[in-house]
Amino acid sequence: MDDGGSFRYATRMKVLIVDDEGDMRRLIRGILGPAHEVLEASSGREALRLVRREKPRLVLLDVSMPQLDGHAVLSAIRGLDPTVAVVMLTADHRIEAARAALQSGAVSYVTKPFEPEALLAEVARASAAPAFHRGSPSPLPWRVAGAEAQ
């Protein structure tokens, strides 16, 4: 963090936002767009095509999507490229849901609604992890941003 309270990144990175809600993709693009190259996918299948073709460093992945949900997409991403950092996004605040996502290979779990600074912090944290830690059963110490322990 710099003295002004905003996050700075050493290099632009390619970030894929995967959410079936266009408003959510636009919101996240607005938060990340100035600092990163942002790609968008409205479905899990589209996301997997973009992961293959564009090779993003980070994927922000909605859990609840029609046809192919976030857990299935996460599993497929792990098979394509285990070094891609994946942050799960969801409105589900249950700690059990977060634990399942993290055990499946997500590096973080952010609950909606979120504050822009909280999302930026998770993006910075996930992108800072060495590639060899991403995709392992517990790539980083578990972290659930915004989730309440119940």
Side-chain angles (χ1 to χ4, degrees), residues 31-52:
I31 294 168
L32 299 181
H36 301 292
E37 179 182 348
V38 178
L39 308 168
E40 295 182 32
S42 61
S43 71
R45 293 192 198 298
E46 183 181 5
L48 295 174
R49 281 192 297 274
L50 286 170
V51 167
R52 280 186 204 98

Side-chain angles (χ1 to χ4, degrees), residues 12-13 20 25 34 42 46 48 53 55 61 68 71 83 89 94 104 114-115 118 127 130 149-150:
R12 280 178 65 87
M13 75 176 158
D20 59 317
R25 290 192 313 273
S42 61
E46 183 181 5
L48 295 174
R53 187 176 72 221
K55 309 218 182 303
L61 178 60
L68 197 58
H71 295 288
T83 67
L89 305 173
R94 294 174 304 127
S104 296
F114 50 79
E115 293 295 324
S127 66
Q150 298 190 16

Side-chain angles (χ1 to χ4, degrees), residues 58 93 112 116 119 150:
L58 173 69
H93 290 249
K112 300 175 189 176
L119 182 64
Q150 298 190 16

Side-chain angles (χ1 to χ4, degrees), residues 37-139:
E37 179 182 348
V38 178
L39 308 168
E40 295 182 32
S42 61
S43 71
R45 293 192 198 298
E46 183 181 5
L48 295 174
R49 281 192 297 274
L50 286 170
V51 167
R52 280 186 204 98
R53 187 176 72 221
E54 299 292 334
K55 309 218 182 303
R57 181 165 172 206
L58 173 69
V59 176
L60 299 175
L61 178 60
D62 186 29
V63 171
S64 197
M65 294 186 296
Q67 297 172 349
L68 197 58
D69 74 6
H71 295 288
V73 175
L74 173 60
S75 178
I77 289 171
R78 286 287 152 254
L80 291 171
D81 184 351
T83 67
V84 175
V86 178
V87 174
M88 302 296 276
L89 305 173
T90 187
D92 189 344
H93 290 249
R94 294 174 304 127
I95 197 73
E96 298 81 22
R99 190 170 288 128
L102 296 167
Q103 287 174 330
S104 296
V107 297
S108 185
Y109 186 93
V110 177
T111 57
K112 300 175 189 176
F114 50 79
E115 293 295 324
E117 288 293 323
L119 182 64
L120 288 170
E122 291 308 308
V123 166
R125 182 178 173 277
S127 66
F132 60 87
H133 284 301
R134 297 187 204 127
S136 67
S138 184

